[in-house]
């Protein structure tokens, strides 16, 4: 079975059988589509769909998953470019990156060059590290920071301080985020939501 998949894969790649579906990401408050994740699909000429769970593990096992990922990344970027040229509003697309990709490629530079190739704003492409890659990420990426972030709401509902807002705990107050350098987690990416932020000077830049 594995040999058959490997034998047929390169033919499928060159024959247009490999494509992607987009799984939308919606903002609950407005029901607007704010992004999407590209999901790999293998559709044979007779319409038969080979499940991702059947062929992707085989490609990962034998080191061919990077060929699949690079193809999908390129096709997605090409489609985003086409949608923009047709006058559609583009939303960020998340692309899967596997453990093998991180071994084989300079991921940051590769996506930088890919966006430039299709003249795309870099914020239209997001990287989603697969579970198998995340399990080994600390061994193969040196420039990530181990960090643990917690939000701790303070109840200031009986004070007259300016800038006090509603916290997620249902009280009026502040909800400072405290970050601990350690081994609790890995900060792959982070962003601050729009709005008033109360933090120690240069905290956003540090994070």
């Amino acid at each position: 079975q594995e040999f058959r998949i490997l034998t047929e894969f390169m033919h499928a790649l060159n024959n247009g059988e490999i494509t992607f579906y987009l799984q939308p990401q919606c903002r609950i408050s407005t029901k607007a589509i704010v992004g999407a994740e590209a999901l790999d699909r293998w559709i044979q000429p007779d319409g038969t769909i080979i499940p991702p769970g059947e062929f992707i593990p085989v490609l990962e096992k034998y080191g061919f998953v990077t060929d699949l990922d690079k193809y999908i990344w390129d096709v997605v970027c090409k489609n985003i470019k086409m949608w923009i040229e047709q006058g559609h509003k583009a939303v960020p697309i998340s692309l899967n990156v596997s453990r093998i990709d991180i071994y084989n490629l300079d991921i940051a530079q590769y996506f930088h060059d890919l966006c430039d190739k299709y003249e795309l704003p870099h914020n239209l492409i997001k990287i989603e590290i697969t579970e198998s890659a995340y399990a080994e990420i600390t061994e193969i990426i040196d420039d990530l920071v181990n960090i643990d972030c917690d939000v701790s709401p303070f109840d200031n509902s009986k004070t007259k301080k300016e800038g006090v807002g509603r916290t997620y705990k249902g009280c009026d107050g502040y909800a400072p985020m405290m970050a601990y350098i350690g081994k609790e987690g890995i900060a792959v990416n982070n962003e601050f939501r729009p709005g008033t932020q109360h933090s120690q000077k240069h905290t956003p830049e540090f994070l």
Side-chain angles (χ1 to χ4, degrees):
Q1 177 73 1
E2 291 184 347
F3 178 77
R4 179 187 63 80
I5 288 175
L6 293 173
T7 302
E8 296 180 356
F9 169 69
M10 293 309 298
H11 173 76
L13 203 61
N14 296 323
N15 199 39
E17 297 177 27
I18 305 298
T19 186
F20 68 93
Y21 288 171
L22 290 177
Q23 178 172 282
Q25 299 167 340
C26 301
R27 180 173 288 120
I28 296 177
S29 59
T30 63
K31 299 182 181 179
I33 295 177
V34 295
E37 179 183 357
L39 305 175
D40 305 339
R41 291 295 181 266
W42 181 348
I43 306 176
Q44 296 182 315
D46 63 358
T48 301
I49 298 178
I50 300 180
E54 183 175 321
F55 69 90
I56 291 180
V58 177
L59 298 180
E60 287 183 329
K61 179 178 179 180
Y62 292 98
F64 289 98
V65 74
T66 299
D67 296 282
L68 169 67
D69 289 340
K70 288 168 63 176
Y71 177 84
I72 292 294
W73 301 341
D74 191 89
V75 173
V76 168
C77 289
K78 185 184 299 182
N79 275 270
I80 295 175
K81 174 72 171 179
M82 179 184 66
W83 298 331
I84 293 175
E85 291 177 342
Q86 292 175 347
H88 300 295
K89 180 182 177 180
V91 296
I93 305 297
S94 298
L95 300 174
N96 286 319
V97 173
S98 75
R99 170 177 57 88
I100 306 299
D101 298 331
I102 298 173
Y103 274 122
N104 292 339
L105 303 169
D106 180 339
I107 294 297
Q109 188 62 50
Y110 191 90
F111 278 99
H112 182 282
D113 294 342
L114 190 58
C115 287
D116 287 351
K117 173 183 175 181
Y118 289 103
E119 301 178 322
L120 298 177
H122 292 192
N123 63 353
L124 287 181
I125 296 298
K126 292 188 175 182
I127 296 174
E128 183 161 321
I129 300 176
T130 60
E131 291 82 356
S132 59
Y134 185 81
E136 300 184 26
I137 199 169
T138 55
E139 299 178 8
I140 53 182
I141 298 184
D142 298 326
D143 58 355
L144 293 181
V145 179
N146 292 318
I147 191 169
D148 181 23
C149 294
D150 292 316
V151 175
S152 180
F154 293 163
D155 186 349
N156 293 112
S157 55
K158 295 182 180 180
T159 70
K160 296 182 180 180
K161 291 183 179 180
E162 294 182 359
V164 173
R166 200 72 172 169
T167 72
Y168 73 91
K169 284 290 189 179
C171 62
D172 292 330
Y174 299 95
M177 182 175 71
M178 295 171 284
Y180 306 92
I181 302 300
K183 298 182 179 180
E184 296 302 319
I186 298 177
V188 177
N189 188 22
N190 64 73
E191 61 181 308
F192 283 85
R193 295 181 178 179
T196 303
Q197 298 162 9
H198 302 273
S199 61
Q200 184 175 339
K201 188 176 181 180
H202 302 308
T203 296
E205 292 83 357
F206 168 75
L207 291 176

